[in-house]
Every structure is written in C-alpha cells, then in structure tokens.
Amino acid sequence: MDRGFRFGFILADEARSLALGEVSHWRRFLVGGLVGFAHPETKVQSFEESGWQAVVLGDIYVAHGARSVPDLICMLAAREDYSALDQLGGRFALVICRGGGIRFYHDAFGSRSLYYRGGPGVLVGSHASLVAKVCGETLDPAAIAYRDSPEYKQRGTSYLPGDRTMYRGIFALTPNHYYSAERSGPVRFWPRGDVEASDFDSFAEVADEYFRTFSAFLRDRGVGLFGLTGGVDGRVLLAGVRAYDVPHRLVTWGGGRLPPDELPVVKRMVRHLGSSHKFMDVGRKTAEAKNSSLMDATEIATGFSRGKSALTANMSRVADERDVFVRGYGGEILRGFYNRHNRELPDRSPDALTDIYLTRRVGEPTPEFRGFAVRAFAEFIERTDFQADFFNHDPLDIFYWEQRMGTWGSMMLNEMDPVVYSMAGINSRRLFEAAFGLKREERLGKNLLLRLTGRYDAEFAGMGAVS
C-alpha cells in the first residue's frame, strides 16, 4: 500500500478518525478538528496565528513576488485573499482551519491531487483509492464497465469524465476550487475578474520570474529529470531552467513513443545541450514491467482508472533517489489546447462538455458510454459551478485546465510517484493568465513557446519542433 500511496496523506474529522487505522503507521498530525496521517516521504509544515491554523502537505515555494510562504498563507487564512495562491508554486495541499471552518486548497495546476468523500463529515486524501480504503468504498460497477469499454480505449488518454473517480461517492477537487468542510463540497474562487490584455514582452517577464523561482526551488530539492522530445512544452521548460543552472539529466522514451522523424532532432538536441541523457525502453517485456508489486502500485496510485503502467515501472531503471521528474504539463494550458485543435463549446451543457471530452476518435459511442459521460458532466457542472460567471475567460481554456490537466495530469504524477517524485513543470496561475491575455494569433500553436524558448537558447528553439 505504501508504494501506491507514496507522498500521500489523508485527513478526517474526529467522527471518522477510527477508520484511519489503515494508515496508523504513517506520521500523525492534527489541525483544527482533523486527524491526519502523512506518508513518511510527505513533507508536513504547520503554521499558526491567533484565530487560525494551517498545514502544508508537499512542496511549496514563492513563485511570484517578494512575500514569504508564511506571509502568503496568512493572507489567505486571515483575510481570504486568494491572490496569495497566485503567488505560490509547487505541488502542495494547504489545509486551513479558522473559526470552526475547514478548507482545503491546492496548487494552481492542481498537481497535488485531492479527493474527497461526498456527504457530511470530512474525509479528504491525496489518492482516490486511499480515501476508498479508509472509508470502505468499493469500485462502482458502472465505472468499471465504462473503463473497460472499447470507447474508453479509443480516446487514447485515459481519464474519467468530469470529477468522477472509480468510486461512486469519491470525487476529485479540480483547480480553482477549495474544498469546504461546511458545504461538504468544492467552492469556486477563480476567475476573479476579466482577462487583462497582454503582449509577448509582459508574458515573457512573468515567465522569467517563474523559471527563476522554480529553478531555485529545484536546486534545493534535488536533480531535475526532464523528458527530451521534439515537442515544445518540455523544450521551453528545459530551456527556462537551464538558464538558471539547474542540475539536470535527460531521458527519452522509446518503444514507439518517439516517432522516427523525431529521432534525428533529439540526437541534435543531445549534442547541443551536452547533458547526461538516456534512451529508455518502455515496453511491457522488460524485467521492471514484470515486477508485479511495482505494477500493482501504479494501478493503486491512479485509483484503478488506468490499469498498470509499464512506463512507470521502466522509469525505475533510470531514476535516482534525489531526482525530481519534471514534466512539461501546463504548456498546453498556455497555448490553448482545445482552441488550437479547432474545438468549439457552444454552451456549457453536459452534452457540449461530453462532445469535447470524447474527442474525434470516438465516432459512434454506445448510448451507455455516452450516457455515463453526460451524467458525470451534469454532476461536474453542479459541483464545480461551471456555469458561473467566467467574466471574459474562454470556457474552453478553463475546461482544459480544470477537467483534463486537473484530473488526468495530476493522476499521471501520482502514477509516476512510486518510482520517482514528479512535478508539473509549468504551474503558475499568473503565467496562465498572462497567456490568456495574448492575442489569439500570437498565442495559439507552437510559436509562442518556441519564441519563449529562443529567449533563453536561440539554437535550441530553432531545432525541428513537433507541436
């Protein structure tokens, strides 16, 4: 269990605390009226002032501005100033108790996944299957049928619709929300105003600050392990941190994951960068992929929604203890994933969200498959207040960020954690907002991130790019 829930934690109110016997060997902590247990490898920090208490679980640092982490937590805890969250980076959950109320927040990307058990009382944890194990929830037969259907495989990227998990009563907390114990559900706190027009220079200034502060964090945390491909998301991330001398190593996945036309580009990149680099087989026939305990851990870590991950198992061959595997997640938020693929959202109805989620690969879903997704999105819209005033933000951008990155993206980090600690590389609400303010022709496509890459390394930016 420990490996599947590596870097995990769970908190419950006193009424449910006896169920935490499943994790009683983990580190115990208290906050407000909650009893918590954290995996031995999970960082736990406590803060307290008159009128409030807070606990941070995971990695947290200041990504923007000059205030300290304690100052920013105080801004949020004492004054409900949500701008504090815009200045924080990392992969963290933040629990705040004030005046009898309890709230759970996470980082901008939602990379530190949070799952909660619906209904009265508090039961919140880092992994859906951990919450289920503690409260005795079993897998939902309808979700199993959905996961095992041909249409689910046709989508290519495996994650459930909306904020659903494989357990009927357990849900994911999506980005731009906090979980309220009083309401027994999520509360939206963003967007808080209109998109402000920006240009490349102002966008790049925010990016400079982000890469500088993220690089300082990484230097203290360990060695950055980065994937090297012909794409642009990981490229801008690597260029940004190399500009600030972050110790790093590179890995490229083979086994059909690297198209043949990208191989010459990767080899040119390796020669140019001069960094330690390995090609890695990701097949299911390796010794690592035949390690049943490791493969089982990956399935547990994703709440049984994706099956066993040979990719994670094979990464154990190249990962070292101090590595932080930094993925290019967040880049597609900057450059408008759905918009650049010419998707449209005529309204924010369950059917419209289902159409986007299904992708063009699922041409003729069965009524049962589509019906499951539509019902899930109807509940998602209600729980996440997705019909709220988005001011002039594009709902497609918010949908991609909250529903795909905030569920699938964070789950992919959980999936990799059993062998190497993982982080989303581009994780800043300020940077996302700066990108949203760019003109459409400047933002969409691969050129935005290639231009930003060129700011740090012009030759690297000029090597063949695959969007």
Side-chain angles (χ1 to χ4, degrees):
M1 184 182 78
D2 276 8
R3 198 161 194 173
F5 301 139
R6 194 176 174 201
F7 307 109
F9 53 85
I10 192 159
L11 299 94
D13 55 31
E14 294 287 356
R16 300 192 184 194
S17 62
L18 291 178
L20 293 174
E22 289 286 352
V23 289
S24 61
H25 62 293
W26 287 7
R27 189 170 15 161
R28 187 175 187 267
F29 62 94
L30 303 172
V31 55
L34 300 181
V35 178
F37 287 88
H39 188 277
E41 293 183 73
T42 299
K43 294 182 180 178
V44 180
Q45 301 178 68
S46 298
F47 303 86
E48 185 172 356
E49 287 193 9
S50 177
W52 61 267
Q53 290 179 285
V55 168
V56 174
L57 297 144
D59 283 309
I60 191 169
Y61 70 95
V62 177
H64 301 283
R67 290 181 177 272
S68 66
V69 168
D71 285 346
L72 292 170
I73 291 176
C74 183
M75 284 172 57
L76 181 62
R79 302 196 298 275
E80 295 186 25
D81 186 342
Y82 298 120
S83 69
L85 293 169
D86 303 343
Q87 299 172 64
L88 291 167
R91 185 185 177 198
F92 66 86
L94 171 60
V95 187
I96 293 179
C97 301
R98 178 190 176 196
I102 304 169
R103 295 179 179 182
F104 291 76
Y105 302 85
H106 47 20
D107 55 86
F109 183 95
S111 65
R112 175 57 281 156
S113 60
L114 284 174
Y115 296 92
Y116 62 91
R117 179 73 168 87
V122 179
L123 186 58
V124 178
S126 53
H127 298 69
S129 48
L130 174 59
V131 175
K133 190 172 187 68
V134 169
C135 70
E137 187 78 49
T138 58
L139 293 172
D140 176 16
I144 294 173
Y146 187 84
R147 179 200 62 192
D148 295 344
S149 67
E151 293 95 331
Y152 194 68
K153 296 177 177 61
Q154 288 170 13
R155 292 187 66 260
T157 306
S158 302
Y159 62 99
L160 295 173
D163 54 355
R164 273 298 311 261
T165 72
M166 293 296 295
Y167 308 93
R168 186 66 189 91
I170 298 172
F171 308 101
L173 182 69
T174 54
N176 305 316
H177 298 79
Y178 64 82
Y179 173 81
S180 166
E182 296 89 337
R183 300 192 189 185
S184 298
V187 176
R188 178 177 291 278
F189 65 83
W190 187 93
R192 302 190 301 272
D194 288 341
V195 176
E196 295 184 8
S198 62
D199 56 25
F200 179 79
D201 288 340
S202 59
F203 167 75
E205 287 178 4
V206 180
D208 286 347
E209 181 182 34
Y210 175 73
F211 286 130
R212 174 176 57 79
T213 57
F214 183 47
S215 296
F217 162 78
L218 277 180
R219 282 195 298 271
D220 290 338
R221 185 65 169 78
V223 176
L225 180 60
F226 296 85
L228 187 66
T229 70
V232 299
D233 300 321
R235 183 183 316 210
V236 72
L237 172 62
L238 183 56
V241 298
R242 285 183 79 248
Y244 295 99
D245 300 320
V246 170
H248 64 278
R249 299 187 301 114
L250 307 175
V251 61
T252 297
W253 297 335
R257 286 180 175 262
L258 186 73
D261 59 347
E262 280 190 55
L263 182 58
V265 176
V266 170
K267 289 182 176 180
R268 282 181 60 201
M269 290 178 167
V270 171
R271 289 193 297 269
H272 169 72
L273 296 172
S275 306
S276 171
H277 173 263
K278 291 182 180 179
F279 284 100
M280 189 194 84
D281 183 10
V282 298
R284 292 187 173 272
K285 296 182 179 180
T286 65
E288 292 80 9
K290 293 178 181 179
N291 183 328
S292 60
S293 63
L294 184 52
M295 294 286 279
D296 289 346
T298 66
E299 190 175 38
I300 293 169
T302 60
F304 301 95
S305 63
R306 290 179 47 79
K308 304 177 193 296
S309 173
L311 174 61
T312 296
N314 286 310
M315 278 289 282
S316 66
R317 193 165 58 252
V318 301
D320 292 334
E321 186 174 336
R322 293 192 69 242
D323 283 343
V324 178
F325 183 41
V326 187
R327 310 187 77 152
Y329 292 164
E332 297 271 27
I333 297 175
L334 297 179
R335 58 197 184 101
F337 179 85
Y338 287 138
N339 276 298
R340 72 182 184 83
H341 284 290
N342 301 312
R343 301 309 305 266
E344 296 181 356
L345 193 63
D347 54 52
R348 288 182 249 168
S349 66
D351 279 302
L353 297 188
T354 298
D355 288 340
I356 297 293
Y357 164 82
L358 290 181
T359 78
R360 297 185 177 102
R361 296 183 180 185
V362 186
E364 297 182 4
T366 63
E368 293 79 12
F369 185 85
R370 184 179 178 89
F372 181 96
V374 169
R375 289 189 297 274
F377 279 118
E379 296 176 2
F380 165 82
I381 290 168
E382 181 177 357
R383 276 191 293 268
T384 66
D385 199 14
F386 202 76
Q387 296 283 10
D389 183 2
F390 285 172
F391 300 91
N392 63 339
H393 288 77
D394 188 339
L396 275 174
D397 285 329
I398 296 178
F399 184 56
Y400 180 79
W401 175 3
E402 295 181 357
Q403 201 276 319
R404 175 155 168 162
M405 288 293 97
T407 58
W408 172 78
S410 65
M411 185 170 56
M412 293 298 287
L413 301 180
N414 286 345
E415 183 178 83
M416 192 62 68
D417 280 341
V419 300
V420 58
Y421 180 66
S422 304
M423 296 188 74
I426 301 174
N427 184 359
S428 161
R429 190 174 284 105
R430 283 194 173 178
L431 191 54
F432 298 156
E433 290 178 332
F436 295 159
L438 293 169
K439 293 179 180 178
R440 182 181 178 90
E441 60 271 18
E442 190 171 31
R443 178 188 171 211
L444 302 185
K446 61 188 178 184
N447 289 334
L448 173 65
L449 295 192
L450 288 178
R451 187 177 176 186
L452 185 58
T453 301
R455 185 179 180 90
Y456 309 116
D457 186 335
E459 186 176 351
F460 192 36
M463 297 177 182
V466 179
S467 178

